[in-house]
Every structure is written in structure tokens, then in C-alpha cells.
Amino acid sequence: MIQMFHVSKIYPKEVVALSDITLHVQKGEFVFLSGPSGAGKTTLLRLIFRDELPTSGQILVNGRNVVRLRESKLPALRRSIGVIFQDFKLLMDRTVYDNLNLVARVLGVPEAVSRRKIGRLLKEVGLLRKADETPYKLSGGEQQRVAIARALMSDPAILLADEPTGNLDQDLALDVMRLLVEVNIRGTTVVVATHNRRLVSEMGQRALILKQGRLMEEIH
Amino acid sequence: MFWERLRHLLDETFLNFRRGGWGVVASIGAITVAFLVTGTFLLLTLNLGTVVAQWAEDFQVIAFLADAITPEQVTLLRKRLEGELAVREVTYVSREEALADFRRQIRGQESLLEGLKTNPLPASFQLRIQKEYQTPTALGQLAVSLRRMEGVEDVLYGQEWVDRLTSLVQVMKILGIVIGAVLGIASLFIVANTIRLAVYARAQEIEIMRLVGASRSYVQIPLILDGTLQGGLGAALALGMLYVLFRATLWQLGASAPLIFSGGELGRFLDVEYRMGMVGVGALLGAVGSLVAVRRFLRA
Ligand SMILES: Nc1ncnc2c1ncn2[C@@H]1O[C@H](COP(=O)(O)OP(=O)(O)O)[C@@H](O)[C@H]1O
Ligand SMILES: [Mg+2]
């Protein structure tokens, strides 16, 4: 599903974010991407949905060569990948409903269809009653779950989650993880970037460990 | 799918409009001013051009006759005039006809003539001139020879005026083009700036849309449409104001208007081609302005 071959990413001023990464995530897998802050986790995720291009190396996602992807094919790639951003990227002045509906509109889904889908997803993340609130009024954990629901709006084949438990306490963190595992069970390939080693060991899933932009070890 | 797309397009465009608030108002206002100024020049140039062309056609040379002239002298004079190489057509206007014409021209203000006991207007020969002789020198010579003829009291020789007005129209045309171009470019930048602000105001939303798989055009087209609408609306508004201004001016001119626009043709508003052209150019300016903004400020 996701393959990287000798991928390096060097930001301007010689900041080496990733160096010589080769990895393979199978279809339907649940994988942690772990390592201390600044290790390159976010950068690696951004390469997958082509928010950044690698300095060198090749990346295949769902059979597409991401590096050589034409501009016109970018929307299709992005629609097949749901992303939960570390900073959520929610529109704070729109309702939860409108935040989710934005995706439906981009996809050209009729309002009637998207309304049902938003209802289902909000129920799944336990926020049905907050549909008409703005994220501004929600707690961090609730905002996190809105971000998850939005990432699932396009029924993505791949779900990328960047520090989805970032500032949650352990109980809430485990709730969120359970949610992601459920999504994975229904067939979505899930990659979770987290610096929380305890969470990784508690979940007992495959984990790729990054340190200073290098892939150090794999835990199975 | 199609309806969803169309709805999105309209929703987004009007959303930009609403969010833009005073920026959009200022943008449309600037375009309106630009087109109002340019349109005024266009209107004046066209109308003056028509008037001048009419004068050139109708009243090239008028020979006014002495009041004491006898019918025999008139006949003789006509023969001589018809013999002139420069003259294409000779029309005799008697004193009575001249007065009737004048009455017709000042229709509605006939009271002006009420106090008159005698007809103050002279009889005249109105001469149409051959094309080859429609030059200041040729007409000058003709005027000199006409003045020497017996029974001719005075010669009104409009060519000088026609020439002056023609060059005035020419100058106004050029001035109009220059001013129009300058204001056009200015409004292009104003639209570009408004759209730039719209892009900034919605930067986060646009970023999210791109990240969840919106194509570039999906994001750009509503913004460009927005600019196009601003341009078209501004031009249309200017056209409306211009029309009101035009009507008001004609009304103000009132009595004198029929004299200025002689020959029955009162001042004409811009033809439908011009009107559509103006709105089209406005829309085009808006489109180009927003395209520039989108290209420069939407790196998504
Ligand atoms: N857009 C960027 N421009 C320049 N340097 C960056 C950028 N994004 C990340 N970096 C640098 O790349 C390295 C890896 O960052 P990141 O991928 O965010 O790590 P992590 O998500 O593991 O904390 C860091 O040194 C960071 O400063
Ligand atoms: Mg990070």
C-alpha cells in the first residue's frame, strides 16, 4: 500500500528531516511511526499525501508513483488518503457539521448523502450532539475526534494520523486508539505517528522507529 | 454531480462576495468610476462625432440672401450657383420656410417667437458640396466668389467649425482611450487586490480543501468568477449611472438641445453593442485581475 525506496528529505538550510528511508506498509495494516520529536514523523506522513516532495528516492502509494504524480492526479491521491493533522486544521468559525461537509462538497457528494454520512461518523466518534457547535467551543479531545471523523469522510483506503493522542490523557488516548483500530478492522490501512512510546508498547502493533530522520528499528 | 458542482460554484462565489464586504464594494465602486469616466468620454465623442458629421453633410455652405431680392434675381442666382463646379446640390429656403424650420427646431418653446411682428430670418441657398471640394481652401475660394454675387448678403461657411470640431472629437477620442486604459489597468489591480484579500481571508479553508483532494480549478474558479462578477457589475452600474446622467443632461439642455442636435436626431445613448462591450470589458478586466491574484497568491 505504501512503499518508500531510499527516500531522503532535506529542507532548506541543510536540515535533514529524513535520510535513506526504505519501508513497506501492507494493505490493511496498522502501523505506528514512533520516535522523539523532530525525528521526521510528520515529514514522512506529508510525503505520503504529497504535501511535500522528497529530495531523493521513490514513493509508491496505492500503486501511484507519488513523486512523479501529475498535478491533475493529485486530487485522486488525496481523496484516497484521510489525514488527521496534528493541529487538526479545523475551521474554528464553522460548525462541526460544516467542517465535515466541506469534504463532501469537495468530493461532489449530494447534500442528502453527506448528511447521513456525517450523522453516522459523528455518532461513531460520539459527537452527534455537537454537530451544530463550532470547534472553538469543544475540548481538545472532542476536536481531535472531529478531525478523525473528517478524515473518514472520503472513505479513504489509507488513514494517516499525526500525534492523534498528542495532548490527551492516557484514558482518552486509548479511546482514540480504539477508534482507529476499529477503522483499521474495517479494512483501512492506518499509520499513526506518535512520540508516545508507552502507547506503542501498550497497543502491541507493528512500529517503525525513527531517530534523527533515520529508520532505526522495527517492533512487531 | 453536475448540480453539486454548479451549486458549489455559485455558493462559493456569493460567499466570497459576502465575506469580501467593503473590499468588494470598493472594488466594484472603483470599476464603476473607471467605466463612468471612460463611458462619458465615449458618449461625448460619439454624439459630437454624429453632430459634426451631420453638419459636415448638411450645412457646408449657406448663402444668405438680401431681403430686397427679386424672384428674377433668385432664379438667376440659382443658375449661377448650379454652374459652380464645387456645388453638388442647391436648395432654396424661402423666408417663410426658414421660419417654419426654426419653429420646428424649437418645438415646445414656440413662445419665444410670440413677440415677433416680422419674420427676422433671411431667405437662403443651402449648398451641398462635391466631395472633392470639401477642403478648407476650396471652400474658402467658393465662399469668396459667392460673396461677390449679386443678392448674396452673407455666406456662412461652416467648414472651419467642422474641422475644429472634428479635431476636437479626435483629441477626445485619444484622451478617452488613454484615460480608459489607465483606469482600466488601475481597476484590474484593484480587483486583483480584492481577490488577494479573499484568498488570504480564506487561506485556511482553501488549504484544507486542497488537502482533502480539491483540484486547483475547484478552488480557483469561484475566485475568478468572483472577480469577473465584480468587473461586470461595476461596468453595468456605470452604464446605469451614465444613462441617468445622459437623460439629466438632455433635460437640462432642454431648449437648446434641438438646436445642437439638429436634423431631428436628439442625442443618442450608447448603442447596445457598446453597452454589451462595456460590461464585457468590465468582466474581462475582473477575470484577468482575479486570475493574476489567484496565480500569484494561491500557491496551493
Ligand atoms: N517545513 C519545514 N521547513 C524546514 N524544516 C522543517 C520543516 N518541517 C520540518 N522541518 C524540520 O525537519 C525535522 C523533522 O521535523 P518533523 O518531521 O516535524 O519531526 P516530528 O514530526 O517527528 O517531530 C525537524 O528538524 C524540523 O525542524
Ligand atoms: Mg510531528
Side-chain angles (χ1 to χ4, degrees), chain A residues 11-12 15 17 36-43 46 52:
Chain A
Y11 284 115
V15 178
S37 155
K41 304 182 292 293
T42 298
T43 302
R46 290 177 66 196
E52 284 284 358

Side-chain angles (χ1 to χ4, degrees), chain A residues 49 51 71 74-76 78-79 81 85 89-94 99 102-103 105-111 150, chain B residues 1 4-5 7-12 15 19 202 204-216 218 300:
Chain A
F49 60 99
D51 199 23
E71 165 71 32
L74 184 58
R78 298 247 171 107
R79 287 166 194 212
I81 303 173
F85 300 94
K89 291 197 193 299
L90 297 175
L91 294 170
M92 289 307 206
D93 57 348
R94 313 277 181 93
N99 268 279
L102 185 66
V103 182
R105 292 183 59 174
V106 166
L107 298 179
V109 176
E111 182 88 32
R150 188 186 62 193
Chain B
M1 240 352 221
E4 293 300 321
R5 285 266 174 274
R7 219 192 62 147
H8 157 79
L9 214 63
L10 296 179
D11 280 3
E12 291 289 307
L15 197 73
R19 294 251 167 96
R202 303 187 52 208
Q204 209 197 359
E205 187 184 355
I206 289 170
E207 184 201 357
I208 293 167
M209 290 199 289
R210 284 292 275 158
L211 287 173
V212 300
S215 66
R216 203 183 278 266
Y218 181 87

Side-chain angles (χ1 to χ4, degrees), chain B residues 85-99:
Chain B
L85 281 175
V87 176
R88 177 158 61 88
E89 202 184 310
V90 179
T91 314
Y92 176 70
V93 180
S94 70
R95 300 182 58 186
E96 293 70 34
E97 281 166 345
L99 188 64

Side-chain angles (χ1 to χ4, degrees), chain A residues 99-152:
Chain A
N99 268 279
L100 266 60
N101 201 33
L102 185 66
V103 182
R105 292 183 59 174
V106 166
L107 298 179
V109 176
E111 182 88 32
V113 176
S114 80
R115 191 176 304 130
R116 254 180 287 133
K117 178 161 215 161
I118 292 168
R120 182 167 59 70
L121 284 172
L122 285 181
K123 199 166 150 196
E124 222 169 283
V125 299
L127 285 176
L128 199 49
R129 284 184 316 157
K130 307 273 180 172
D132 294 327
E133 302 273 15
T134 57
Y136 188 70
K137 287 192 184 158
L138 303 182
S139 72
E142 286 168 332
Q143 288 183 17
Q144 179 67 261
R145 283 180 283 155
V146 175
I148 293 172
R150 188 186 62 193
L152 295 172

